[in-house]
Amino acid sequence: MSDKFDPKELKILSDILALVLEEHPGQSANALDALRNRARRNGTTGGALKNLFTAIAPSPPPRAQPRPRAPRGAGAAASATEMQAARVRISQLTESLNRLDIDLRHARARAEELRSQLYLTQQARAETQAALSVMQARPMPRRRSIVVLAFAVGALAGIAGMAGMEFLHALDTPTAPYSATALK
């Protein structure tokens, strides 16, 4: 085992061990499985892990150094202008956020309106389909009966037309005077 420990591996190991101690059984079981898999992949045994903890305990690895802060009194003027610029930027971002919020509300209202129109259209489509299926389910009159009916109507119209013509001819023709010779 090396004297240098990888801080990233130690962080992962500490996270896994913290999850093992959680009260949630699912997370604990998953963390134990992850620990087993990582140890198997790295070829670490239980004894090696124990030795790692005993080596770390007396001398833990150094923590990362925090970022140094800017000195307070030296840049007060620069700090004030930065603060003013930051405030302006914050107000711009706030206005932008409010505008986006209003736009989002309008978009949601429009989406709801379109959703209701879609629902009404779907209802109308369903009603139309129901009416169409009823019309298709009705028995259609046979062509033969339609032809017979048309023939009968045509014949009656023809007979009526002929009778009407005969009647008009009868009214139109002059009557011959009765001759006396014809009566003898």
Side-chain angles (χ1 to χ4, degrees):
M1 186 173 269
S2 69
D3 292 337
K4 211 64 160 132
F5 301 111
D6 184 15
K8 184 177 178 182
E9 282 292 319
L10 287 176
K11 169 74 171 112
I12 292 171
L13 182 62
S14 66
D15 290 344
I16 291 173
L17 287 174
L19 283 174
V20 167
L21 298 176
E22 283 291 319
E23 294 181 16
H24 305 291
Q27 288 180 347
S28 298
N30 290 339
L32 281 173
D33 290 338
L35 184 62
R36 280 191 201 103
N37 292 336
R38 188 171 286 276
R40 197 174 307 125
R41 185 178 43 216
N42 294 339
T44 306
T45 63
L49 191 60
K50 181 180 175 185
N51 290 338
L52 174 70
F53 280 117
T54 56
I56 293 173
S59 60
R63 291 184 178 227
Q65 296 295 327
R67 283 190 343 198
R69 288 186 157 186
R72 287 195 177 202
S79 170
T81 57
E82 289 176 4
M83 287 291 275
Q84 185 65 27
R87 286 186 179 130
V88 168
R89 181 72 178 140
I90 289 172
S91 67
Q92 289 172 346
L93 290 174
T94 304
E95 289 173 17
S96 175
L97 182 64
N98 289 338
R99 202 173 327 110
L100 290 173
D101 186 43
I102 290 170
D103 290 346
L104 178 63
R105 288 180 188 177
H106 288 301
R108 283 184 179 164
R110 179 70 177 143
E112 187 61 35
E113 179 184 329
L114 290 174
R115 195 174 293 119
S116 67
Q117 287 179 359
L118 174 65
Y119 178 72
L120 291 174
T121 304
Q122 287 173 339
Q123 277 185 328
R125 179 179 172 261
E127 290 171 0
T128 304
Q129 280 183 331
L132 180 63
S133 65
V134 166
M135 287 176 55
Q136 288 176 345
R138 265 194 259 157
M140 297 294 286
R142 291 193 208 146
R143 287 184 184 233
R144 190 174 195 185
S145 61
I146 291 174
V147 170
V148 169
L149 180 63
F151 180 73
V153 169
L156 287 176
I159 293 172
M162 297 279 281
M165 290 297 283
E166 286 297 318
F167 180 71
L168 285 177
H169 280 291
L171 290 178
D172 235 7
T173 55
T175 55
Y178 293 109
S179 62
T181 54
L183 287 177
K184 292 185 189 185

